[in-house]
Amino acid sequence: MASSWLTSALSGASRHPKRPEHSYSYGTAGFRTKADILEPVLYRVGLLAVLRSKAVKGSTIGVMITASHNPEADNGVKVVEPMGDMLLAQWETYATSLANAREDDLESVLQDIISKENIDMEQSANVFVARDTRPSSVSLAEVLIEGIQSLSGQYVNYGLLSTPQLHYMVRCHNTQGSYGKSTETGYYEKLTNAFTKLRQKNGGNGKGSYSNQILLDGANGVGALKVEQLKEHLKGQLDIIVNNDGSKGKLNEECGADYVKIQQRPPPEMDVKPETKCVSFDGDADRIVYFYMGKGGKFKLLDGDKIATLIAGYIQELLTEAGIQLTLGLIQTAYANGSSTHYATKMLNVPIACTRTGVKHLHHKAQEFEVGVYFEANGHGTVLFSPSVIPKLDDVCQDKSLSAGKKEAATKLRLLVDLINETVGDAISDLLVVETILYQKQWNIEEWNSSYTDLPNRQLKVKVKDRAVIQTTDAERKTTSPAGLQSAIDELVAQYNKARSFVRPSGTEDVVRVYAEADTQIAADELAAKVGVKVHELAQGVGDPPSLPS
Ligand code: 16G
Ligand code: MG
């Protein structure tokens, strides 16, 4: 006779049947597709989250319902590990099998996970649930909860949260509050307490051209709502004006960090005056970019690389002032602008590591340093501090034999640790970190932007028969297949100044991505197009090859 949990799980699944024509994959950012085909997936993710919680002896697991920067009609779901990290790779595979299992196979897929992971079905389970502002998220959350309950899991439904807020809640809860209180107020209090103290310490002589005014593009998403709450705790220290707050426009439509980065222009809804500091979040507020309109109305983007170098440079300065030796590293991907890499190594003296695209790769690499700053150029990033860091900082703060200057620098670093959401890139926390540093330096956005000048660059997509024929190595900077492609790229790159180019199969779209940078925009455009033509030629391109700029 089937166990009662199994009967209950299977009968729930039959209420949310999976259609044979749909297939799903738990990719780098969870399941993500059209919202109207996600119901069976949400139910099964409910089952998976309970199993994961049981597998980690009842620690709390998080489930976030969002499709981030995708259009409003899409949705998605991702699972958060007990310390706030992303789901383990092995469990991504289980998630995909569960989501795709035919109803009559569901029992064996569940039994397989239980036996491989040696799960005690008597163990209690707990899941934290949150969602973004998509209209479809409400009913999808109900289906998810049905899945959790069918395996007798406990749950807390936080309703609307940003993705990083949910990651934070999960970590706080599993570390018995040592990371902070697992409430939304606890989140704002932790961040704004650290922010206020750092602001007092940094003093800001008011002589520079720093302005506390920020024009925010909330992507018509959850970040806009959360910033309004943050403002109550900031008590006027920042003057944040929220645009695209969801009151009229659609989520991510002509707004949001992805729009601004790809279109290289401000959202049309925003009235951007020259030199005004602007910030754009994505739909679930785990990405942030800054921008402004420079002289002559030229759009200027300060992306993840600019943010990362600002933060890494600040940490480096404080470590030097405090006389503390820690291994500090900046983790980038091949997309990082060559100027940012050059600036970090030559001017800031911060070592660089490069990983494959995808947040989890950067996150893992950052864990190899005592202080690991990681950012993708698209604006997703944070800082990780190894467990040895806080005791080292506390020692300096308390050492009476050290100078006041050293202790002060260590205290600032200690506060910075509290200001950063280490679980995942967090647009709100990153904004507070950037504003702290700009205030300390008394920089306006133009001064910050001039720390280095991005090399002109171009990205293109090439459609090919099967993008899996493109294989890469060296953190995606070189191709190993198809034969002859890498040598062709090398030859083309050699014809331009300060040039670099790479190609990689996209993880989220059926295309091959081409990146090129060079000393001028014309050169970067030409190089990207020529590399694109080579990809088309050597990897069985579909449709027309990229055309060369005229
Ligand atoms: C996903 C990744 C993002 C990466 C992007 C690349 C996460 C949470 N998200 O959105 O980090 O930059 O994919 O897309 O890992 P691509 O493979 O299509 O270029
Ligand atoms: Mg996002």
Side-chain angles (χ1 to χ4, degrees), residues 72-140:
E72 191 168 279
D74 290 359
N75 215 328
V77 58
K78 41 193 177 189
V79 180
V80 179
E81 286 282 309
M83 287 303 281
D85 304 8
M86 284 183 222
L87 188 63
L88 293 185
Q90 179 60 50
W91 281 78
E92 289 183 358
T93 317
Y94 297 150
T96 301
S97 318
L98 259 184
N100 291 305
R102 293 201 327 249
E103 249 154 87
D104 44 4
D105 285 340
L106 195 57
E107 175 177 348
S108 69
V109 174
L110 286 168
Q111 294 287 16
D112 185 51
I113 300 172
I114 292 165
S115 90
K116 278 194 182 131
E117 295 293 326
N118 207 2
I119 295 171
D120 171 8
M121 289 307 283
E122 298 298 312
Q123 167 72 56
S124 62
N126 195 29
V127 184
F128 282 0
V129 176
R131 62 178 162 87
D132 72 8
T133 55
R134 287 177 162 78
S136 60
S137 293
V138 179
S139 58
L140 289 175

Side-chain angles (χ1 to χ4, degrees), residues 32 66-69 78 163 282-287 380:
R32 202 181 285 189
T66 181
S68 186
H69 59 270
K78 41 193 177 189
T163 294
D282 74 336
D284 61 339
D286 63 356
R287 271 171 63 182
H380 185 117

Side-chain angles (χ1 to χ4, degrees), residues 28-30 32 69 78 86 286-287 335 357-360 362 376 378 380 504-509 511 513:
T28 40
R32 202 181 285 189
H69 59 270
K78 41 193 177 189
M86 284 183 222
D286 63 356
R287 271 171 63 182
Y335 287 107
T357 303
V359 172
K360 67 181 170 198
L362 289 100
E376 287 195 308
N378 66 22
H380 185 117
R504 54 176 281 277
S506 159
T508 62
E509 250 186 279
V511 295
R513 298 204 192 281

